[in-house]
Amino acid sequence: MDKREEMKTENSMANSTFSDEIPSSFPLSSIFDMPCYMDLLGIQDFDSPSLFDLFPAPMVPPAQSQPPQPQLQQQQTLVPSPASTVPAESSEVVNTPATPNSSSISCSSNEAANEERTKAGGEEEEDQDHEKTKKQLKPKKKNQKRQREPRFAFMTKSEVDHLDDGYRWRKYGQKAVKNSPYPRSYYRCTTAGCGVKKRVERSCDDSSIVVTTYEGQHSHPCPVTPRGSIGISQESAGYGAMGPPFGVHPQQAYIYSSQPPLTHLNPSFHSFVRERRRFGTSPEALLRDHGLLQDIVPSQMRKEPKEE
DNA sequence: CGGGTTTGACCGGCGC
DNA sequence: GCGCCGGTCAAACCCG
């Protein structure tokens, strides 16, 4: 009850922070000029493939096959990427900073490893997955581990636990987290047929950091414009009807490092920025958006990120 | 009344 | 086999 009041207040706080920190005219390209950004991703070279490991290619509709090669001055030089950029499952948060302050935004394909292991089911299993999770209590096929969607985690500096990303979520559980004073909340996308889930928890190291882990891909467009959303509109951001993967909304991923914070970034920034790199900035390219995680966690992810 | 949250119980995976 | 723990269920509750 009071909590909700708090949440509302906090939400607006976050909003204002966002609007203050990120003007809608924030130049995307400048992102790449931020050493901090690269640092926290464990990327030294702008063109390091590790970036692509972290942010695999967005789903490209089969019809369009090859995306037009970006007219980027710098093309990906294929250097073996450190496997360490995608740590194993154990902790949800990948790229866990060596020092508490050394990194923030993280993405996780931690389940991908599992999928490798349990590949048996393969893609066809994917659609049934949502149902399966629901029917978890039912007897399950022997010898078949429950398959999970790829997960994608990132950290956000926010006072709000549940970040508004434009999709509608229903909380279905909350658990105390071991070794953390903060509980973990479980959310499911309320859209029928969409089984995307996300977990939200606060970092025990830094209570101002919210770790959000998405699981699955939205099978529908972003349904709502969050109330009180501000900042870049989807149109102005160049997105199609689907909207940006995380919505260009006031949940600012907060990039920080050992240095003072440089900026707030919307989580969608990563994929968006990356997409710009891949496809250039043509409107066509920008329209190639398929919703929340599709953009970030393409189906190819469980195999090889670059299969092109 | 519909939709969302809370919360204790339950289940399954995994390590020992 | 057992216990721990993460994830989910579902009834009760809350709120607009």
Side-chain angles (χ1 to χ4, degrees):
Chain A
M1 29 157 205
D2 291 338
K3 239 183 191 171
R4 285 183 192 167
E5 300 297 330
E6 280 176 40
M7 290 286 274
K8 285 172 191 167
T9 335
E10 286 173 351
N11 217 335
S12 54
M13 288 173 68
N15 289 358
S16 59
T17 309
F18 178 78
S19 60
D20 286 340
E21 298 284 334
I22 299 223
S24 56
S25 58
F26 189 84
L28 296 178
S29 56
S30 65
I31 257 305
F32 298 115
D33 298 331
M34 298 177 186
C36 162
Y37 181 75
M38 309 307 273
D39 279 348
L40 60 87
L41 292 175
I43 296 164
Q44 286 156 354
D45 183 350
F46 174 70
D47 279 331
S48 163
S50 60
L51 181 61
F52 292 90
D53 290 344
L54 288 167
F55 305 102
M59 180 97 77
V60 177
Q64 307 184 1
S65 59
Q66 263 316 64
Q69 279 306 313
Q71 319 94 323
L72 296 171
Q73 352 32 346
Q74 306 178 333
Q75 200 40 303
Q76 318 83 302
T77 9
L78 296 182
V79 181
S81 74
S84 60
T85 51
V86 183
E89 154 86 285
S90 56
S91 98
E92 281 310 324
V93 185
V94 298
N95 282 348
T96 302
T99 63
N101 290 338
S102 63
S103 105
S104 72
I105 289 203
S106 321
C107 65
S108 168
S109 59
N110 44 20
E111 289 299 328
N114 282 351
E115 316 241 337
E116 291 279 350
R117 269 186 283 143
T118 62
K119 216 169 185 175
E123 311 272 326
E124 69 270 16
E125 206 55 65
E126 197 170 68
D127 287 343
Q128 306 164 6
D129 193 31
H130 303 151
E131 310 236 352
K132 220 189 294 177
T133 56
K134 243 184 181 169
K135 299 181 195 164
Q136 227 180 33
L137 301 181
K138 306 288 183 208
K140 24 177 26 178
K141 299 162 201 165
K142 252 267 170 179
N143 232 349
Q144 195 167 24
K145 276 186 198 168
R146 187 174 136 234
Q147 293 231 339
R148 285 183 183 280
E149 301 279 347
R151 290 192 207 160
F152 209 90
F154 59 89
M155 292 179 171
T156 307
K157 180 124 180 173
S158 171
E159 301 179 32
V160 218
D161 285 338
H162 185 199
L163 301 167
D164 193 349
D165 55 12
Y167 290 88
R168 304 190 61 194
W169 300 94
R170 177 196 191 89
K171 187 175 185 177
Y172 66 89
Q174 176 171 314
K175 290 282 287 187
V177 181
K178 208 186 165 203
N179 296 329
S180 171
Y182 308 102
R184 172 184 298 151
S185 299
Y186 299 88
Y187 297 88
R188 194 153 26 214
C189 181
T190 59
T191 304
C194 179
V196 176
K197 286 176 267 188
K198 76 172 176 183
R199 295 179 308 195
V200 177
E201 65 187 279
R202 286 204 172 270
S203 165
C204 56
D205 288 332
D206 184 344
S207 63
S208 64
I209 301 294
V210 177
V211 180
T212 306
T213 306
Y214 286 86
E215 182 175 331
Q217 301 177 21
H218 288 284
S219 56
H220 56 93
C222 183
V224 295
T225 301
R227 60 263 159 192
S229 80
I230 49 177
I232 317 169
S233 74
Q234 292 180 6
E235 287 77 13
S236 65
Y239 288 103
M242 292 296 237
F246 289 93
V248 181
H249 300 308
Q251 77 281 41
Q252 58 284 38
Y254 186 63
I255 299 222
Y256 72 110
S257 70
S258 47
Q259 315 157 22
L262 291 180
T263 182
H264 292 278
L265 288 179
N266 185 289
S268 67
F269 232 75
H270 285 67
S271 55
F272 178 70
V273 160
R274 188 180 170 281
E275 190 153 354
R276 279 174 68 102
R277 287 196 57 209
R278 287 180 59 81
F279 301 126
T281 55
S282 77
E284 274 180 332
L286 289 171
L287 283 173
R288 213 171 281 122
D289 184 283
H290 307 282
L292 177 60
L293 286 176
Q294 227 160 358
D295 192 307
I296 311 175
V297 187
S299 59
Q300 298 104 303
M301 189 171 185
R302 45 190 65 181
K303 295 167 184 168
E304 271 306 319
K306 41 169 182 264
E307 247 286 0
E308 322 167 339

